[in-house]
Amino acid sequence: MKIYTGSLNPVNSFGRVTHSLVECLRRLGFLVTISDKATGNYDIAIDGPASQIKAKHLLTFWETTELRPQDVDCIKKQPTRKLIVTCRFTHDVFRQHGLRARIIPLASEHKPVPLPALNPFTFYTIYQDAGYWERKRTQDVIDAFELAFNKTHGVRLVIKQGPNCKVLETFDRRIEIIREFLPDVSHIHKNGHVFVSACGAEGWGYPHHDAMAFGRPVICQKIGGPIEFLDDSCAWFLRPHMHRAPSGFYDNYGKIGRVSIKELAAAMRYAFDNQDQVMEKSTNAFIRARSFTLDQMTIAVKKAFDL
């Protein structure tokens, strides 16, 4: 089976999806070859909706409430190509454009780790903004933290971003920002207590998923990919306030969610003040994570690709 992918870098979503899909196919007995050459014919292309790669299947992602016209045009140029997406949100966006898609849940294979000592209590986030800071909006996490814990001791915030992400602003010594590339960020999950995200445009949400797999509860918006695997037993959900999608990659098409900084601050404060619930949700997180492993993904791949 021949697969096209735009990236094999395990740090980004395309790379992680590629590695996971290849493992699923190998478990199903297929010999897999991978290429990043745009020419030729493929069985599966892992690419954006506007992909012009010739393939029998397109595994793709989208995060706003509306596809761009060029996305729809490119998809319709290959009418026999089957579409695969990673969450119900994207499936419904495609459907409103008259496009049929199947869904495969993704996988995270981390083993749960007991919570560390609760003092200091650590909120944390991990992300790449790929030059589109308005999508991840991590400055909102900083602002919410400072609002929630203005004079509180024994609490901190750890932020892992990419070296090319937007520079964040804070003078709070309780906030640690890690910008350099790290090949492994598992220690950040292990040393944290609650994962926090202000992003309202996730096609899946690997950092959220990894946090759950490590046994860490999550605070995030109730929209997009994360609600495929998170529920109230292991997360505190925030209401998404819908705003026009930013320019650049999205070309202002559709809307994405944005948090209220006050509501995010209140959720963070609640978690800090109710650490017994943090421990309960931590246990629920790694129990729920067992339903989103490579075993389950392999079953979904077999059905979605008619293998």
Side-chain angles (χ1 to χ4, degrees):
M1 186 168 289
K2 192 175 179 181
I3 296 178
Y4 168 86
T5 182
S7 175
L8 281 171
N9 185 348
V11 172
N12 64 47
S13 295
F14 279 95
R16 283 193 64 171
V17 170
T18 301
H19 286 286
S20 293
L21 179 61
V22 168
E23 176 59 26
C24 291
L25 292 171
R26 286 174 176 165
R27 291 184 178 196
L28 292 168
F30 289 91
L31 179 64
V32 181
T33 60
I34 306 171
S35 175
D36 60 358
K37 294 182 179 179
T39 57
N41 296 309
Y42 291 89
D43 294 294
I44 303 170
I46 303 173
D47 205 0
S51 176
Q52 299 184 40
I53 304 298
K54 293 181 180 179
K56 297 177 183 177
H57 300 84
L58 174 63
L59 173 52
T60 191
F61 315 87
W62 192 250
E63 299 88 19
T64 82
T65 59
E66 183 180 349
L67 289 170
R68 302 170 303 175
Q70 61 264 40
D71 299 321
V72 178
D73 289 343
C74 284
I75 291 172
K76 290 185 176 180
K77 286 179 181 178
Q78 296 191 55
T80 62
R81 183 175 58 178
K82 294 181 179 179
L83 303 174
I84 312 292
V85 297
T86 58
C87 68
R88 176 64 57 180
F89 176 88
T90 308
H91 169 275
D92 292 346
V93 170
F94 276 54
R95 185 172 60 181
Q96 73 186 16
H97 289 277
L99 303 170
R100 298 179 62 183
R102 297 178 179 181
I103 302 171
I104 58 168
L106 302 181
S108 180
E109 288 291 304
H110 298 293
K111 294 182 180 180
V113 176
L115 288 171
L118 294 171
N119 190 5
F121 190 91
T122 303
F123 294 94
Y124 72 101
T125 193
I126 300 170
Y127 75 102
Q128 296 266 2
D129 66 20
Y132 299 100
W133 68 268
E134 292 169 288
R135 176 177 165 228
K136 298 295 186 178
R137 299 196 64 88
T138 306
Q139 186 65 48
D140 290 351
V141 177
I142 290 178
D143 295 345
F145 177 87
E146 293 176 344
L147 177 63
F149 305 107
N150 183 27
K151 297 181 179 179
T152 305
H153 298 288
V155 62
R156 65 179 188 143
L157 171 64
V158 176
I159 297 172
K160 173 65 186 81
Q161 60 174 188
N164 298 318
C165 291
K166 180 182 178 180
V167 175
L168 301 170
E169 299 177 1
T170 183
F171 295 100
D172 195 324
R173 294 183 179 180
R174 300 169 300 173
I175 299 176
E176 178 185 4
I177 301 174
I178 305 168
R179 285 183 60 82
E180 66 268 22
F181 170 76
L182 297 176
D184 183 7
V185 296
S186 59
H187 66 285
I188 299 176
H189 288 288
K190 293 175 182 178
N191 293 327
H193 296 99
V194 176
F195 179 89
V196 185
S197 174
C199 181
E202 293 283 5
W204 179 256
Y206 268 125
H208 309 57
H209 191 179
D210 291 341
M212 182 180 78
F214 275 107
R216 303 298 179 260
V218 174
I219 297 174
C220 69
Q221 295 183 60
K222 195 170 187 178
I223 188 173
I227 60 176
E228 291 293 313
F229 51 91
L230 295 171
D231 65 10
D232 292 325
S233 73
C234 59
W236 288 279
F237 287 119
L238 302 170
R239 177 181 48 154
H241 299 264
M242 303 306 290
H243 290 258
R244 179 61 56 186
S247 58
F249 181 74
Y250 296 127
D251 293 336
N252 298 125
Y253 276 91
K255 295 182 178 181
I256 62 174
R258 188 182 299 178
V259 296
S260 157
I261 291 176
K262 289 184 178 180
E263 291 172 3
L264 177 55
M268 295 172 75
R269 186 73 211 194
Y270 183 88
F272 178 76
D273 290 339
N274 294 273
Q275 295 178 12
D276 57 329
Q277 292 189 30
V278 172
M279 291 185 282
E280 180 181 353
K281 285 181 181 287
S282 171
T283 301
N284 294 336
F286 69 72
I287 292 173
R288 185 163 175 79
R290 303 317 303 160
S291 296
F292 298 91
T293 66
L294 281 170
D295 290 339
Q296 284 76 23
M297 183 176 173
T298 300
I299 295 171
V301 166
K302 187 176 188 299
K303 292 179 180 179
F305 291 93
D306 295 318
L307 301 177

